[in-house]
Amino acid sequence: MATVLFNAFSFLQKKLKAQNRPYANASIDVAEGTTVTDLVNDVGLEVEEIEAVFVNGSVTSFDAILHHGDRVALVPPGTPGPYRVLLGMIAQQKNSR
């Protein structure tokens, strides 16, 4: 068994709160080998509701395996453009010369 620190943002918080589920700085126990997708489903969300997943401060994929002590954050669609680049959700395009 592993424990991760879980945070959801924006409307994901509202959805989880309505279901009486933890959404901010919540310690969640997960089985060894649990992926981000497994966690998303376990907390009552759909992968389609999430634009970016951060594990330990870095954007990661939904198939990443979680480990004891990981910090997981889920970000829904709608993050303003400049922040998407700043957070690493999308790569900054470079001008070709």
Side-chain angles (χ1 to χ4, degrees):
M1 194 58 82
T3 301
V4 298
L5 184 64
F6 172 75
N7 283 284
F9 293 95
S10 190
F11 76 81
L12 299 175
Q13 286 185 345
K14 293 177 185 175
K15 182 173 181 177
L16 293 171
K17 185 175 181 179
Q19 298 174 11
N20 291 323
R21 294 182 181 258
Y23 58 86
N25 293 320
S27 291
I28 297 180
D29 292 328
V30 297
E32 294 295 328
T34 295
T35 65
V36 171
T37 299
D38 296 332
L39 177 65
V40 167
N41 293 327
D42 290 349
V43 299
L45 296 172
E46 306 276 332
V47 170
E48 296 77 22
E49 297 175 293
I50 300 161
E51 181 170 11
V53 176
F54 290 82
V55 174
N56 300 324
S58 298
V59 175
T60 192
S61 66
F62 285 93
D63 60 353
I65 295 175
L66 300 174
H67 303 282
H68 181 74
D70 281 348
R71 295 173 292 118
V72 181
L74 306 179
V75 179
T79 302
Y83 294 107
R84 297 162 62 85
V85 173
L86 180 66
L87 292 171
M89 292 166 59
I90 59 172
Q92 184 173 14
Q93 295 179 356
K94 297 185 180 195
N95 294 332
S96 4
R97 293 183 185 183

